[in-house]
Amino acid sequence: MTGPITHLLNRTLEVWRLVASPDGYGGQTTALALQPVPVAAKVDQPSASERLVAEQMRSDHSHDIYLQPSADVRRGDELRDAGTGDAWRVLAVVAPSTPVYRKAQAQLIQGEGEPDG
């Protein structure tokens, strides 16, 4: 892993992707499947002003997750930190015009019964 933002990527996240499989009756079932290559990432906490703007716009976007420009992360993926149990659903993936990083706009996923939900 090399690049201009490598020193900032302080977490390793698993990538889970929705995969369709035949159900044996002519249809399909879908399930999240762990992808073979984890990604190095930096997860930014939203500022108070970003949270306020998101609420005003009724946005689900809660975190920016910075990745290497070559990271295979797509809209609809789920990123999980196996160490902490944190998980985010990717809403969009954007990159600057110069491929220095990729940014996943994501929504924090909290399980039922967790505090601050």
Side-chain angles (χ1 to χ4, degrees):
M1 170 175 69
T2 61
I5 68 165
T6 302
H7 65 285
L8 299 173
L9 306 178
N10 57 3
R11 294 173 97 156
T12 300
L13 302 178
E14 299 173 337
V15 178
W16 290 76
R17 184 164 294 145
L18 203 57
V19 176
S21 303
D23 65 4
Y25 299 100
Q28 324 182 311
T29 59
T30 57
L32 287 172
L34 176 62
Q35 299 303 293
V37 180
V39 294
K42 178 182 184 294
V43 180
D44 276 356
Q45 295 294 324
S47 68
S49 61
E50 287 172 328
R51 287 193 303 264
L52 179 62
V53 169
E55 281 182 41
Q56 291 171 341
M57 304 206 45
R58 300 179 194 262
S59 171
D60 293 330
H61 172 218
S62 63
H63 290 74
D64 288 330
I65 301 176
Y66 292 88
L67 310 156
Q68 286 290 340
S70 60
D72 183 16
V73 173
R74 306 171 190 173
R75 182 174 57 90
D77 285 352
E78 196 171 289
L79 302 176
R80 298 180 187 174
D81 186 326
T84 65
D86 293 334
W88 300 267
R89 182 173 300 109
V90 177
L91 304 173
V93 180
V94 296
S97 57
T98 304
V100 178
Y101 63 86
R102 293 183 82 197
K103 179 171 68 171
Q105 297 175 335
Q107 175 186 26
L108 179 66
I109 301 169
Q110 288 187 317
E112 291 184 27
E114 290 187 35
D116 302 318

